[in-house]
Amino acid sequence: KAGVTQTPRYLIKTRGQQVTLSCSPISGHRSVSWYQQTPGQGLQFLFEYFSETQRNKGNFPGRFSGRQFSNSRSEMNVSTLELGDSALYLCASSLGPTTYEQYFGPGTRLTVT
Amino acid sequence: GDSVTQMEGPVTLSEEAFLTINCTYTATGYPSLFWYVQYPGEGLQLLLKATKADDKGSNKGFEATYRKETTSFHLEKGSVQVSDSAVYFCALRMPNSGGSNYKLTFGKGTLLTVNP
């Protein structure tokens, strides 16, 4: 069974641009969560989607948004990029909202210059 | 709010040494507790979990016991190998409520290096 895939794996953007990251969950998984990982702040929860609906949102500005499609694939978008947005963005999928086990993808490394 | 505190690293051990990585938590309720491992250049992998007090999670020689009285979930391994070198994260998640998959709250991570 294929794991969680994230594309692209690496991305370099300029301050002020916007970026879209993609996550394909494990087949059959309907819940997708996004996390930001930085050396300073560690792992922080961004948002969670289930059945195309955002169920939870972390403490991030409105520049960070996401969505989930009917096939459970998810995208997150960051507009007006700032240097501080440089991070590893991790996506995790799980069977549904009542399951405890989340499976993480390899992440997208975003560098903002 | 909920939080996780784990011992700061880095931790450097020789092969076959005993490993302990301390983890304590603060939560308004009875969370489930997890240890995740991150190898260089990879995402997180679930190492073990415990969902209620006194539960012991174990996997690949690693163990951790959910101690409600000390709000702790320390990770241990009796004999580490070079291949165990990675970053280890302790995490908690509050019980499901209202049908929503609540977020994982992570500690800062502990870098473990095992030398041959």
Side-chain angles (χ1 to χ4, degrees):
Chain A
K1 204 174 199 181
V4 178
T5 57
Q6 293 187 243
T7 56
R9 291 293 310 276
Y10 303 90
L11 205 48
I12 299 175
K13 289 287 189 179
T14 303
R15 193 170 49 183
Q17 290 185 314
Q18 72 152 18
V19 67
T20 299
L21 312 181
S22 179
C23 171
S24 293
I26 292 171
S27 178
H29 284 196
R30 296 171 61 199
S31 176
V32 172
S33 298
W34 288 89
Y35 294 83
Q36 182 196 62
Q37 185 177 22
T38 60
Q41 298 298 317
L43 281 151
Q44 293 185 286
F45 171 76
L46 278 156
F47 24 65
E48 180 224 347
Y49 287 88
F50 175 70
S51 292
E52 302 178 64
T53 302
Q54 187 180 89
R55 293 297 186 104
N56 287 290
K57 189 176 190 324
N59 190 24
F60 279 82
R63 300 185 296 107
F64 291 81
S65 62
R67 59 178 175 169
Q68 186 181 34
F69 301 95
S70 58
N71 62 358
S72 296
R73 190 177 70 84
S74 177
E75 289 181 347
M76 67 163 281
N77 183 276
V78 187
S79 63
T80 319
L81 284 165
E82 301 177 359
L83 296 178
D85 297 332
S86 295
L88 181 67
Y89 290 89
L90 293 165
C91 164
S93 78
S94 58
L95 279 169
T98 58
T99 183
Y100 286 115
E101 189 147 350
Q102 294 189 343
Y103 296 84
F104 282 80
T108 294
R109 173 73 63 184
L110 171 64
T111 302
V112 182
T113 62
Chain B
D2 304 331
S3 65
V4 175
T5 302
Q6 61 181 104
M7 64 185 284
E8 295 194 16
V11 174
T12 302
L13 296 172
S14 298
E15 206 164 26
E16 299 183 3
F18 184 85
L19 168 71
T20 299
I21 300 178
N22 290 336
C23 171
T24 57
Y25 68 89
T26 301
T28 54
Y30 304 101
S32 291
L33 301 173
F34 306 83
W35 277 100
Y36 281 85
V37 59
Q38 186 175 34
Y39 298 100
E42 298 184 14
L44 300 175
Q45 297 177 26
L46 178 62
L47 183 59
L48 52 84
K49 66 182 180 185
T51 57
K52 62 183 187 297
D54 300 325
D55 268 2
K56 177 188 278 189
S58 61
N59 186 28
K60 299 180 182 179
F62 291 89
E63 292 183 340
T65 300
Y66 189 143
R67 300 286 188 201
K68 179 164 163 276
E69 62 278 9
T70 55
T71 62
S72 64
F73 193 54
H74 304 321
L75 181 69
E76 296 182 336
K77 187 175 185 183
S79 176
V80 294
Q81 305 300 312
V82 172
S83 57
D84 294 326
S85 297
V87 180
Y88 292 81
F89 293 91
C90 184
L92 69 79
R93 189 154 107 189
M94 295 309 295
N96 177 30
S97 175
S100 184
N101 187 15
Y102 283 113
K103 64 176 183 176
L104 285 163
T105 298
F106 289 91
K108 293 287 190 185
T110 302
L111 173 62
L112 170 66
T113 301
V114 181
N115 295 318

